[in-house]
């Protein structure tokens, strides 16, 4: 800009003399000035317009023939873009100071029609050959697009591109400002960390376009849940952070979290899809849970993970002891990532027994992890971590392959044919490639599909019902059996059992353990067995530990059972010994009064 202005000033300084002595050179100067893209305007010593080039005519809306001779302040109305106050005439200042000057930043030119354009300029005096000031020249450049681009870049640097919400950079700044205000006013600042439950499945199954639309819908709903002075931010993926500035109590944050849970859980109508998603929320407070933005976000994140472990779709306040669990969780996640490669996993097999013949008719594959330092880690400890960090699909695929290969190996050794039961998590079953991978595993191991049983919980089956039914029918057509696991603890509807092509139900061990008590769980077991028989479904009781429970189940004609009464999960070699024996050496059932059975049974 400065180089261009200097060149223009040199040309303009010579224009009067050139016009007087060399008309052809004067025409050339006018032609040159009309050819450039910036607006060039000249005034005489009195401040009246003497020249406008073509760009100046377009920018100001004033033709040269009408502008010439008018006061420069009439043609050039320049305002401060923020205050809208008039700026001192830069050409008049150039004449008075006899030096080049510039407009302040953020100025606008008011066109003849009243519209405005953002400009920057360089104004300088015009001299004759004797060095006397004869007028002034100003070069104006339209910087509207450039400033818009700068603003867009500044906005992009602080906002999420998908939702338009503040990003982590702007969030941190606002949290720290809120902390300063809360300190002065002796109030709390609350930070809420939100993570959508099972968003990855929606994103993977319906596509990123639908996933993005869902994130935008969630963002709008969260904004509607907070006050004008609060901040809703997206950190990335399906993670959001909400800043509640100046809250008076924990109850105020709890109310906001409850509103968010409800708002997110309501149906989202997007691109002909009716989607439901839930969220889990962790809450931290200044000053109790952190003295800066980083600590508050980190501790709210820790509390959010605890909310997920407690069942999801809920909020959880941060507690200092959660950091210990968070470190433990991170250690487990790191260990899990090396467990597959390090061959630290193994399968144990628990027998399923036919209660009429006492023969072992099946095995349930149960995953065991022996950590090189920690030793044995229970599934209750590591399975939730595997699900939350996305490793459950890889682990589940390994379990399926190992179990199928083992069942085929027993059959190849001439042992009695049994079914192999494998548990399937929600994340595995919802993977769009699950069915394809399962069939590939059967083909790879050579196991007859009729020998495989998949155990799915009720909650897995009732989510995305149409898709679930389609997959279950495909499995049934291939010969794979499906068992409803932990029946009685979830939806437990007769209608869905009629609709889903399942072959058996497993009575949850929590009901089996209560057999013989004065509660209603014995009646629950009886009812489940009766319902299953009416639908021609096998009934398997899990968690059988006492002879009393066994007597009750046999009396009510439960088909199969498993539990410590029949044997603990064992390594493949020991399970092979059970199969060779042809059954279990169970103690005889003696008469008893428990469970109010008929005398002598």
């Amino acid at each position: 800009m400065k180089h261009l202005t200097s060149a223009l000033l040199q040309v303009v300084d010579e224009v009067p003399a050139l016009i007087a002595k060399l008309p052809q050179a004067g025409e050339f100067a006018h032609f040159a000035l009309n050819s450039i893209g910036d607006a060039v305007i000249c005034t005489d010593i009195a401040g009246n317009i003497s020249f406008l080039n073509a760009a100046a005519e377009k920018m100001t809306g004033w033709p040269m023939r009408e502008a010439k001779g008018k006061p420069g302040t009439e043609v050039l109305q320049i305002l401060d873009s923020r205050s809208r106050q008039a700026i001192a005439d830069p050409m008049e200042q150039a004449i008075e100071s006899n030096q080049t000057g510039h407009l302040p930043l953020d100025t606008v030119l008011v066109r003849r029609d009243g519209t405005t354009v953002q400009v920057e300029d360089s104004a300088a005096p015009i001299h004759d050959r004797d060095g006397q000031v004869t007028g002034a020249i100003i070069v104006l450049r339209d910087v509207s697009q450039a400033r818009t681009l700068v603003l867009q870049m500044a906005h992009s640097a602080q906002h999420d591109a998908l939702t338009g919400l503040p990003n982590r950079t702007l969030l941190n700044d606002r949290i720290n400002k809120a902390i300063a205000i809360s300190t002065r006013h002796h109030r709390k600042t609350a930070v809420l960390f939100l993570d959508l439950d099972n968003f990855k499945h929606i994103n993977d199954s319906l596509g990123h376009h639908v996933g993005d639309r869902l994130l935008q819908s969630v963002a709008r709903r969260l904004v509607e849940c907070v006050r004008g002075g609060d901040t809703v931010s997206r950190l990335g993926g399906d993670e959001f952070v909400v800043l509640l500035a100046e809250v008076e109590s924990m109850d105020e944050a709890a109310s906001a979290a409850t509103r968010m849970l409800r708002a997110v859980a309501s149906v989202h109508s997007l691109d002909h899809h009716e989607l439901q998603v839930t969220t889990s929320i962790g809450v931290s407070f200044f000053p109790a849970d952190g003295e800066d933005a980083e600590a508050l976000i980190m501790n709210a994140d820790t509390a959010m993970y605890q909310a997920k472990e407690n069942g999801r779709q809920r909020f959880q306040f941060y507690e200092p002891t959660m950091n210990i669990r968070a470190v433990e969780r991170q250690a487990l996640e790191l260990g899990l990532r090396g467990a597959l490669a390090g061959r630290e996993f193994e399968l144990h097999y628990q027998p399923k027994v036919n209660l009429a013949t006492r023969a072992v008719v099946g095995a349930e594959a149960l995953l065991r992890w022996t950590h090189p330092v920690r030793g044995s880690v229970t599934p209750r400890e590591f399975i939730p971590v595997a699900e939350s960090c996305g490793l459950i699909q890889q682990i589940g695929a390994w379990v399926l392959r190992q179990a199928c290969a083992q069942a085929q190996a027993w059959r190849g050794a001439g042992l009695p044919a049994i079914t192999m039961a494998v548990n399937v998590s929600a994340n595995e079953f919802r993977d769009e490639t699950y069915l394809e991978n399962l069939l590939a595993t059967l083909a790879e191991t050579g196991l007859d599909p009729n020998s495989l049983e998949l155990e799915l919980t009720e909650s897995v089956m009732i989510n995305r019902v149409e898709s679930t039914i389609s997959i279950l029918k495909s499995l049934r057509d291939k010969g794979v059996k499906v068992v409803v696991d932990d029946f009685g603890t979830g939806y437990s509807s007769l209608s869905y059992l009629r609709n889903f092509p399942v072959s058996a139900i497993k009575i949850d061990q929590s009901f089996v353990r209560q057999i013989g008590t004065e509660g209603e769980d014995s009646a629950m077991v009886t009812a489940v067995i009766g319902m299953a028989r009416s639908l021609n479904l096998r009934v398997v009781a899990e968690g059988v530990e006492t002879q009393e429970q066994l007597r009750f189940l046999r009396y009510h004609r439960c088909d199969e059972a498993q539990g410590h009464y029949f044997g603990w999960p064992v390594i493949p070699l020991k399970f092979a010994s059970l199969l060779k024996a042809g059954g279990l050496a169970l103690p005889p059932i003696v008469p008893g009064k428990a469970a109010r059975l008929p005398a002598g049974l």
Side-chain angles (χ1 to χ4, degrees), residues 450-468:
N450 289 282
S451 298
L452 178 63
E453 282 188 347
L454 302 178
E455 296 193 357
L456 288 81
T457 62
E458 299 169 82
S459 59
V460 173
M461 299 180 68
I462 65 171
N463 195 359
R464 298 174 62 237
V465 173
E466 292 184 4
S467 174
T468 299

Side-chain angles (χ1 to χ4, degrees), residues 85 164 204 234 330 444 526 530 548 579:
Q85 297 298 312
D204 292 344
R234 178 175 177 241
Q330 290 176 348
E444 175 189 335
T526 305
E548 180 181 19
L579 296 179

Side-chain angles (χ1 to χ4, degrees), residues 561-594:
Q562 64 184 94
H564 298 162
Y565 184 84
F566 307 106
W568 291 76
V570 294
I571 60 175
L573 185 62
K574 290 186 177 180
F575 195 91
S577 299
L578 292 177
L579 296 179
K580 288 178 183 178
L584 296 176
L586 301 175
I589 299 178
V590 298
K593 63 179 179 179

Side-chain angles (χ1 to χ4, degrees), residues 24 81 192 196 206 218 239 406 474 478 524 584 587:
Q24 291 182 345
S81 63
L192 287 69
L196 301 185
L206 298 180
V218 169
E239 294 180 338
Q406 185 60 71
S474 297
K478 296 294 183 180
M524 176 68 174
L584 296 176

Side-chain angles (χ1 to χ4, degrees), residues 167-442:
N167 62 13
R168 184 185 286 271
T169 300
L170 183 53
L171 173 68
N172 286 348
D173 180 64
R174 290 188 179 178
I175 291 177
N176 288 328
K177 287 180 179 177
I179 287 174
I181 294 173
S182 294
T183 301
R184 290 197 300 270
H185 296 172
H186 304 289
R187 291 191 175 184
K188 296 180 174 64
T189 292
V191 172
L192 287 69
F193 196 109
L194 296 83
D195 184 271
L196 301 185
D197 303 323
N198 298 320
F199 172 75
K200 183 178 184 300
H201 167 66
I202 293 175
N203 212 32
D204 292 344
S205 59
L206 298 180
H208 293 283
H209 172 68
V210 176
D212 287 348
R213 290 284 310 280
L214 178 58
L215 290 173
Q216 291 169 339
S217 178
V218 169
R220 288 191 295 270
R221 293 187 183 184
L222 292 178
V223 171
E224 293 172 355
C225 290
V226 300
R227 304 163 300 183
D230 298 327
T231 298
V232 178
S233 168
R234 178 175 177 241
L235 298 191
D238 60 342
E239 294 180 338
F240 296 83
V241 173
V242 177
L243 164 65
L244 301 180
E246 291 195 88
V247 295
E248 295 185 358
S249 67
M250 296 175 67
D251 289 342
E252 190 174 342
S255 297
T258 301
R259 289 196 301 272
M260 294 174 198
L261 291 173
R262 292 173 180 169
V264 172
S266 297
V267 174
H268 299 257
S269 299
L270 306 170
D271 294 340
H272 309 295
H273 295 286
E274 297 292 319
L275 300 180
Q276 281 190 290
V277 66
T278 60
T279 186
S280 300
I281 305 175
V283 186
S284 65
F285 292 93
F286 168 83
D289 303 326
E291 297 184 351
D292 56 32
E294 182 179 0
L296 290 171
I297 293 173
M298 180 182 67
N299 289 336
D301 185 15
T302 299
M304 181 275 297
Y305 274 108
Q306 186 62 51
K308 283 188 178 290
E309 292 181 8
N310 290 346
R312 302 187 177 187
Q313 196 179 0
R314 63 188 63 204
F315 69 87
Q316 176 71 52
F317 291 128
Y318 171 77
E319 298 173 4
T321 55
M322 290 178 181
N323 278 331
I324 300 175
R325 291 195 292 270
V327 171
E328 177 75 8
R329 182 189 176 282
Q330 290 176 348
L332 281 176
E333 180 177 335
L334 184 62
L336 281 171
R337 295 189 182 279
L340 281 169
R343 298 183 179 181
E344 297 168 15
F345 288 129
E346 63 178 344
L347 294 183
H348 288 189
Y349 300 90
Q350 187 171 41
K352 287 184 179 179
V353 177
N354 183 302
L355 294 185
T357 66
R358 300 193 182 186
V360 177
V361 294
E364 180 177 358
L366 298 171
L367 184 61
R368 297 292 182 262
W369 178 23
T370 303
H371 190 277
V373 176
R374 299 164 56 99
S376 179
V377 185
T378 67
R380 181 169 295 184
E381 294 177 86
F382 70 79
I383 290 297
V385 176
E387 289 181 333
S388 64
C389 71
L391 288 175
I392 194 65
Q393 285 90 340
Q394 297 178 49
I395 295 173
W398 181 88
V399 169
L400 179 66
R401 188 179 302 108
Q402 291 293 114
C404 290
Q406 185 60 71
Q408 182 64 13
W410 285 332
R411 179 164 295 191
L415 297 174
I418 61 169
T419 59
M420 176 62 72
V422 176
N423 291 282
V424 182
S425 73
N427 289 340
E428 291 178 84
F429 190 73
R430 292 169 185 160
D431 191 313
E432 58 184 9
T433 64
Y434 177 73
L435 180 59
E436 176 185 349
N437 293 338
L438 181 143
L439 296 177
T441 299
L442 288 172

Side-chain angles (χ1 to χ4, degrees), residues 488-537:
T489 61
Y491 196 65
S492 303
S493 169
L494 182 62
S495 61
Y496 89 77
L497 283 178
R498 285 175 175 166
N499 294 329
F500 291 136
V502 299
S503 60
I505 57 177
K506 291 183 75 172
I507 305 174
D508 186 69
Q509 58 186 336
S510 62
F511 299 112
V512 173
R513 287 175 184 156
Q514 299 302 317
I515 289 176
T517 67
E518 295 299 324
E520 298 179 354
D521 293 297
S522 294
M524 176 68 174
V525 173
T526 305
V528 170
I529 294 173
M531 180 175 65
R533 290 206 167 279
S534 68
L535 296 173
N536 294 317
L537 299 176

Side-chain angles (χ1 to χ4, degrees), residues 590-601:
V590 298
K593 63 179 179 179
R596 300 178 181 176
L597 299 181
L601 182 68

